[in-house]
Amino acid sequence: DSGVTQTPKHLITATGQRVTLRCSPRSGDLSVYWYQQSLDQGLQFLIQYYNGEERAKGNILERFSAQQFPDLHSELNLSSLELGDSALYFCASSSTGGAGQPQHFGDGTRLSIL
Amino acid sequence: DAKTTQPPSMDCAEGRAANLPCNHSTISGNEYVYWYRQIHSQGPQYIIHGLKNNETNEMASLIITEDRKSSTLILPHATLRDTAVYYCIVRVFSGSARQLTFGSGTQLTVLP
């Protein structure tokens, strides 16, 4: 158990819809990262937050947004969903935003777009 | 971040040591070597990381060559539960926060 909690575990929805994925980092961790894993792309970094502020951005689509709340949990919002958004979405956390700290991953949310 | 090269797949007999190689010939002096594994679509699991010295923890050992251009992850007594994709990642340890860049990894299959 990594200590990172993601909900829901599975999500099935239709094209054009909007969903919210939630992540609770390990106790004491200030930094949260979001990754997407699809069959043809592997694990891709989306975005990072550190203590409530956006720290780094990867290949995140404009239809996607995220935020980190004062209690340090984070949410990833996906809107105008397309079939290609079907993927596993992982959240990771680390104690600081520093590159030396290992990231610990949750078990992910499997998103299926019908 | 420096690129890494790993064999796409390896087999290992249960109970034997599994030695997973990684080439990172363009590594810089301020970059760590990290190892993660992913078991069948579960979240990636952190295994170990190191800078220049060999490292050991309860899961594995990490051997880094003196020139730091390659490393080997050693699972001393592989079990069937160690079957997974193993990722070697190189990442800077100073400066602003950096994400992990995952490559294709090595599919390790532990055989009974």
Side-chain angles (χ1 to χ4, degrees):
Chain A
D1 181 11
S2 68
V4 177
T5 303
Q6 289 188 248
T7 57
K9 292 190 185 308
H10 302 277
L11 202 48
I12 302 173
T13 189
T15 55
Q17 295 299 304
R18 172 189 171 94
V19 296
T20 297
L21 313 183
R22 181 186 170 101
C23 170
S24 295
R26 294 189 319 161
S27 177
D29 282 359
L30 299 177
S31 195
V32 170
Y33 306 77
W34 286 97
Y35 292 82
Q36 179 193 55
Q37 186 174 34
S38 55
L39 281 175
D40 57 346
Q41 292 288 324
L43 272 155
Q44 300 282 321
F45 168 71
L46 295 178
I47 198 165
Q48 179 206 357
Y49 279 82
Y50 176 73
N51 204 20
E53 294 193 2
E54 183 182 306
R55 176 66 69 91
K57 226 170 187 178
N59 299 323
I60 187 166
L61 300 172
E62 287 191 9
R63 300 183 286 109
F64 296 1
S65 65
Q67 54 184 326
Q68 186 179 27
F69 295 86
D71 67 353
L72 301 177
H73 91 271
S74 178
E75 293 181 356
L76 179 66
N77 301 295
L78 316 176
S79 62
S80 302
L81 287 168
E82 302 174 359
L83 293 177
D85 298 328
S86 294
L88 277 164
Y89 291 85
F90 292 106
C91 168
S93 72
S94 64
S95 57
T96 70
Q101 295 295 321
Q103 295 174 25
H104 298 271
F105 286 75
D107 285 334
T109 293
R110 182 178 294 277
L111 177 62
S112 299
I113 312 299
L114 303 179
Chain B
D1 295 332
K3 285 190 175 180
T4 62
T5 304
Q6 300 178 252
S9 64
M10 293 181 63
D11 291 340
C12 176
E14 189 177 18
R16 304 295 295 270
N19 297 282
L20 292 96
C22 179
N23 182 287
H24 31 79
S25 58
T26 60
I27 193 170
S28 300
N30 64 344
E31 290 180 313
Y32 276 108
V33 179
Y34 290 80
W35 283 84
Y36 282 77
R37 72 181 183 183
Q38 188 174 24
I39 299 172
H40 195 247
S41 295
Q42 295 178 19
Q45 179 186 23
Y46 165 75
I47 301 173
I48 198 167
H49 73 285
L51 184 61
K52 51 177 105 172
N53 298 320
N54 297 338
E55 303 287 344
T56 295
N57 62 20
E58 64 279 3
M59 287 184 67
S61 294
L62 174 60
I63 309 297
I64 303 174
T65 57
E66 193 169 340
D67 63 7
R68 303 211 320 123
K69 293 185 177 183
S70 65
S71 61
T72 301
L73 178 74
I74 301 173
L75 307 179
H77 305 287
T79 71
L80 298 178
R81 288 179 297 178
D82 292 322
T83 292
V85 178
Y86 286 76
Y87 297 99
C88 169
I89 300 167
V90 175
R91 181 165 167 252
V92 296
F93 69 82
S94 61
S96 59
R98 301 289 292 271
Q99 68 274 16
L100 296 170
T101 301
F102 288 83
S104 302
T106 296
Q107 171 66 59
L108 174 69
T109 301
V110 180
L111 304 171

